Amino acid sequence: MAEQDPPEDPEQPDTNLEIAVAVPNPAWTKALPDAERICITSAAATIGGPSRPTELSIVLSSDSEVRALNRDYREKDSPTNVLSFPSGLVSGVGETDMLGDVILAFETVSMEATRDGKPLDSHLRHLVVHGVLHLLGYDHETEEEAVEMERREVEILAAFGLPDPYGAVAEPVR
């Protein structure tokens, strides 16, 4: 059997933005061979072109890992689809802004996509946008915050040709 070249790293956007994607759970790349590229393009579209060097990381993980993080940091002993951990390390002029980490749980994300009749790649893209918006300071604790955050999500996803993820789930055709 011929040895294959290792896959190339997905291209980073040509800006001051560095996005590291780790995939400790191989279920992600088995289900979505272009999962890393989806993460990078989604995060880049959410952040735009930063004026200073900016870094963030995205981890495509599992329910068990996300559950442990959710329990340890949010006191919720259950998995969730996405967690965001802002670093709080925004630097002065000319230094690197470290936005933080976005961690996604494969089993929960894929279950939600199936349940809602959405392609997995579209749901991943939405959740990366959602997670990165949290790193940028958006939240949904109040109705006003939720409306603004959802508006930004819909706007960013529309640029990828995706429908409003908060719209009604379509009825199955009979």
Side-chain angles (χ1 to χ4, degrees):
M1 183 163 132
E3 188 173 311
Q4 294 182 347
D5 291 333
E8 291 182 29
D9 287 337
E11 183 133 350
Q12 292 286 320
D14 189 21
T15 66
N16 284 323
L17 187 57
E18 181 69 27
I19 303 164
V21 180
V23 190
N25 184 350
W28 281 103
T29 50
K30 184 176 181 186
L32 287 174
D34 61 344
E36 289 182 62
R37 181 191 59 77
I38 291 167
C39 291
I40 290 169
T41 58
S42 302
T46 304
I47 295 167
S51 58
R52 295 196 302 243
T54 302
E55 296 180 5
L56 74 135
S57 72
I58 299 170
V59 181
L60 298 178
S61 194
S62 65
D63 272 14
S64 62
E65 291 296 321
V66 170
R67 179 181 185 162
L69 291 168
N70 207 20
R71 180 192 63 234
D72 295 349
Y73 292 96
R74 299 180 67 228
E75 298 179 359
K76 296 182 179 185
D77 193 10
S78 62
T80 187
N81 51 19
V82 61
L83 289 173
S84 297
F85 294 98
S87 72
L89 300 175
V90 177
S91 66
V93 176
E95 297 179 29
T96 301
D97 289 342
M98 306 292 284
L99 291 183
D101 305 309
V102 174
I103 301 105
L104 297 110
F106 178 77
E107 296 85 352
T108 296
V109 173
S110 60
M111 179 277 302
E112 290 173 344
T114 299
R115 177 196 68 204
D116 297 343
K118 297 176 180 178
L120 181 57
D121 59 342
S122 299
H123 194 46
L124 172 61
R125 188 175 300 281
H126 172 220
L127 293 173
V128 169
V129 168
H130 183 90
V132 172
L133 283 173
H134 276 303
L135 297 182
L136 295 173
Y138 286 81
D139 213 332
H140 43 79
E141 293 298 316
T142 68
E143 182 67 26
E144 185 177 302
E145 289 174 335
V147 167
E148 178 59 19
M149 187 171 183
E150 289 175 13
R151 183 194 64 75
R152 285 289 297 134
E153 290 174 41
V154 169
E155 177 182 273
I156 294 162
L157 294 171
F160 287 103
L162 297 177
D164 177 351
Y166 298 103
V169 177
E171 290 290 324
V173 177
R174 296 182 195 257

